[in-house]
């Protein structure tokens, strides 16, 4: 038997380890997507994966239908349809006061997921380090590994009481920066905590980026989903950051079209050129007719965005007291559409066994907290709920959670 054959079973069903990339050995499958599969299997209400279960705006769907009808059915320009890039540049100036050249500084990708990995592949070399706040959206870990960089985690600490803010320790953040640091990944408003980084916090991060010559890669996909008068501040709008920031955003969350896969990066020209090259070879381009619909979406009136945020505020304010009543300790989100909860009151071994109980016996799918931490122990007392769902979906989940018997 040759060494290449070692590990093969007679039926050929066991794949030898040497066929696999070492990089892939360093991360597991997405727990968020796995919970959606489990929700379907057990007929559970899916409050795990963050996608709306209500219709997308009619105007946007019409724009997509029209584009298909008008035969916008072949590749768009690799780095994005001109109409969409123009609309992104226009709105970025209106919303953030940041002037962007749509010809040289925007790359449209297949969702912000591809945008993030394309960006990291475009900027990272082996040995580079990437600073990530944790808990973090699970993709950032594998994204860093795939791009050859080493993730370095800095803790966001949960608030003491329900109305407090998640905070980080300035000294711990500083310690994470050194001569190997290539970038910091920042997600504000934040998934999974709902934290909206304040100007003061962003200035602190800005100062470290300048001192250590580090790039900021900011995922701002929840920029319009804000509560309690919080303000979204884009890193690129801060003095000194325009030249060292990649701003990532997309249609998924703002326009309730997570399945369309249209996202984008805004970056200085040289970085954009690198991202465009990676994107071109990864996927060639995002769906052409949906990019035209994206241009229409970005032309929605201002009240569309205030209604979107208000709709999610109502859902948040409906779900949180119900979760508290069912025995969860909630950390009130200031943005995005997730709530992290503390499950200590239920006395389960860990978050995974609790989430399994919820999905199999109670009929509600959530995401175990450990999937947002490098060390699973750090998330063993937490689960995340997504509340981007119809009121009746949330009601049904609350009704089922009543069976938990954790309320006072
Ligand atoms: N961002 C969403 C979440 O955190 C969905 C992510 C995904 O599955 N692509 O649930």
């Amino acid at each position: 038997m040759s060494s290449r054959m070692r590990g093969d079973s007679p039926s050929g069903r066991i794949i030898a380890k040497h066929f696999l990339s070492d990089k892939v050995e360093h991360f597991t499958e997405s727990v968020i997507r796995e919970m959606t599969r489990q929700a379907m299997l057990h007929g559970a209400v899916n409050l795990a994966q963050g996608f709306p279960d209500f219709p997308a705006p009619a105007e946007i769907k019409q724009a997509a239908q029209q584009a298909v009808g008008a035969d916008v059915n072949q590749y768009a320009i690799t780095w994005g349809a001109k109409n969409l890039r123009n609309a992104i540049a226009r709105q970025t100036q209106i919303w953030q006061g940041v002037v962007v050249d749509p010809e040289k500084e925007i790359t449209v990708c297949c969702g912000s997921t591809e945008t993030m990995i394309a960006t990291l592949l475009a900027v990272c070399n082996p040995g580079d380090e990437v600073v990530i706040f944790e808990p973090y959206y699970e993709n950032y870990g594998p994204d860093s590994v795939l791009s050859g960089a080493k993730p370095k985690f800095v803790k966001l600490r949960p608030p003491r009481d329900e109305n407090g803010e998640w905070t980080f320790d300035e000294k711990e953040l500083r310690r994470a920066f050194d001569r190997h640091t290539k970038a910091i990944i920042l997600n504000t408003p934040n998934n999974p905590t709902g934290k909206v980084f304040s100007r003061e916090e962003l200035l602190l991060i800005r100062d470290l980026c300048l001192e250590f010559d580090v790039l900021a890669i900011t995922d701002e996909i929840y920029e319009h989903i804000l509560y309690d008068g919080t303000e979204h501040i884009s890193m690129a709008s801060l003095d000194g950051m325009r030249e060292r920031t990649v701003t990532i955003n997309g249609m998924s969350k703002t326009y309730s079209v997570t399945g369309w896969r249209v996202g984008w990066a805004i970056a200085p020209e040289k970085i954009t050129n690198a991202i465009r090259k990676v994107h071109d070879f990864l996927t060639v381009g995002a769906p052409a007719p949906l990019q035209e619909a994206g241009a229409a979406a970005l032309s929605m009136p201002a009240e569309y965005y205030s209604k979107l945020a208000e709709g999610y505020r109502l859902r948040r304010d409906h779900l949180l007291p119900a979760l508290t009543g069912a025995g969860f300790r909630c950390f009130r989100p200031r943005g995005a559409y997730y709530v992290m909860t503390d499950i200590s009151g239920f006395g389960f071994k860990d978050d995974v066994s609790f989430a399994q109980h919820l999905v199999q016996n109670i009929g509600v799918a959530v995401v175990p907290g450990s999937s947002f931490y490098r060390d699973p122990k750090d998330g063993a007392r937490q689960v995340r709920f997504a509340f981007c769902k119809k009121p009746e979906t949330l009601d049904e989940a609350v009704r089922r959670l009543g069976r938990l018997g954790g309320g006072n």
Side-chain angles (χ1 to χ4, degrees):
M1 187 194 264
S2 79
S3 65
R4 287 192 58 82
M5 296 286 286
R6 249 184 290 126
D8 274 3
S9 72
S11 65
R13 261 180 294 153
I14 298 173
I15 309 247
K17 188 171 177 289
H18 64 252
F19 286 143
L20 306 177
S21 152
D22 289 344
K23 286 177 181 163
V24 176
E25 299 270 302
H26 285 99
F27 55 85
T28 52
E29 275 183 65
S30 157
V31 178
I32 298 177
R33 267 84 80 192
E34 166 62 18
M35 290 313 295
T36 285
R37 288 191 286 272
Q38 289 209 31
M40 290 163 89
L41 184 70
H42 297 288
V45 178
N46 187 356
L47 302 193
Q49 198 175 11
F51 64 86
D53 67 346
F54 46 84
E59 303 90 307
I60 302 177
K61 290 189 288 195
Q62 248 163 30
Q65 284 160 352
Q66 266 165 19
V68 172
D71 249 321
V72 185
N73 292 315
Q74 310 309 324
Y75 304 121
I77 296 171
T78 291
W79 49 82
K82 192 171 169 53
N83 281 344
L84 177 57
R85 281 182 287 115
N86 287 346
I88 293 166
R90 185 191 67 226
Q91 292 310 119
T92 304
Q93 184 161 10
I94 293 173
W95 289 327
Q96 293 301 330
V98 177
V99 179
V100 177
D101 181 347
E103 295 306 324
K104 298 188 176 139
E105 297 183 308
I106 296 176
T107 312
V108 178
C109 297
C110 298
S112 59
T113 299
E114 192 224 335
T115 316
M116 179 60 79
I117 183 81
T119 300
L120 285 165
L121 288 168
V123 303
C124 288
N125 291 307
D128 284 346
E129 292 175 355
V130 174
V131 176
I132 303 174
F133 285 105
E134 73 169 349
Y136 57 94
Y137 173 51
E138 56 174 13
N139 281 37
Y140 304 153
D143 284 352
S144 308
V145 174
L146 287 172
S147 68
K150 188 172 155 238
K152 250 186 159 175
F153 296 98
V154 173
K155 288 251 165 353
L156 289 176
R157 292 168 205 285
R160 279 183 216 285
D161 62 82
E162 170 168 334
N163 285 314
E165 308 293 336
W166 291 73
T167 51
F168 60 87
D169 179 48
E170 196 179 324
K171 290 199 207 76
E172 188 189 337
L173 180 65
R174 167 169 278 279
R175 276 199 303 275
F177 281 71
D178 61 32
R179 65 194 175 83
H180 300 294
T181 313
K182 172 57 72 72
I184 178 167
I185 298 179
L186 186 75
N187 175 213
T188 182
N190 184 259
N191 175 10
T193 64
K195 177 180 175 63
V196 178
F197 283 72
S198 68
R199 182 175 296 276
E200 207 183 14
E201 289 170 327
L202 293 172
L203 285 172
L204 211 136
I205 297 166
R206 189 265 319 256
D207 290 349
L208 286 170
C209 287
L210 294 176
E211 184 181 334
F212 289 89
D213 193 19
V214 162
L215 185 70
I217 303 174
T218 71
D219 176 348
E220 303 184 8
I221 191 92
Y222 301 99
E223 83 173 300
H224 295 287
I225 306 175
L226 298 164
Y227 317 114
D228 309 331
T230 45
E231 185 194 1
H232 170 67
I233 299 163
S234 199
M235 191 55 119
S237 70
L238 300 184
D239 272 355
M241 287 310 285
R242 178 71 175 82
E243 286 311 307
R244 56 176 66 247
T245 301
V246 179
T247 309
I248 295 178
N249 214 320
M251 293 186 69
S252 293
K253 314 293 181 179
T254 305
Y255 305 107
S256 305
V257 288
T258 61
W260 283 18
R261 316 315 299 133
V262 178
W264 53 83
I266 299 171
E269 183 176 353
K270 282 210 172 94
I271 301 176
T272 292
N273 287 342
I275 297 171
R276 286 179 174 184
K277 277 199 276 185
V278 175
H279 159 69
D280 188 6
F281 288 113
L282 279 179
T283 62
V284 181
L290 304 185
Q291 292 192 53
E292 292 305 325
L298 281 148
S299 306
M300 300 276 268
E303 64 169 23
Y304 170 77
Y305 302 93
S306 47
K307 276 197 184 139
L308 178 81
E310 178 59 7
Y312 283 131
R313 186 194 65 76
L314 287 169
R315 291 171 170 90
R316 179 197 67 166
D317 292 351
H318 175 60
L319 183 65
L320 261 61
L323 290 180
T324 307
F328 294 86
R329 233 185 100 220
C330 298
F331 304 116
R332 192 179 199 78
R334 304 291 178 201
Y337 48 47
Y338 309 99
V339 53
M340 272 295 246
T341 64
D342 184 299
I343 56 166
S344 305
F346 296 102
F348 271 71
K349 175 168 71 82
D350 58 25
D351 58 316
V352 174
S353 54
F354 182 68
Q356 284 304 323
H357 173 63
L358 279 189
V359 72
Q360 287 170 15
N361 306 324
I362 302 291
V364 177
V366 298
V367 180
S370 55
S371 52
F372 302 103
Y373 293 88
R374 172 197 36 179
D375 181 350
K377 282 201 292 301
D378 290 336
R381 309 249 60 85
Q382 295 172 352
V383 299
R384 188 198 77 173
F385 287 82
F387 56 85
C388 46
K389 309 291 171 181
K390 290 189 274 218
E392 51 269 39
T393 308
L394 297 177
D395 282 343
E396 179 56 22
V398 166
R399 198 183 63 73
R400 294 180 182 201
L401 289 170
R403 295 187 216 144
L404 262 172
N408 306 312

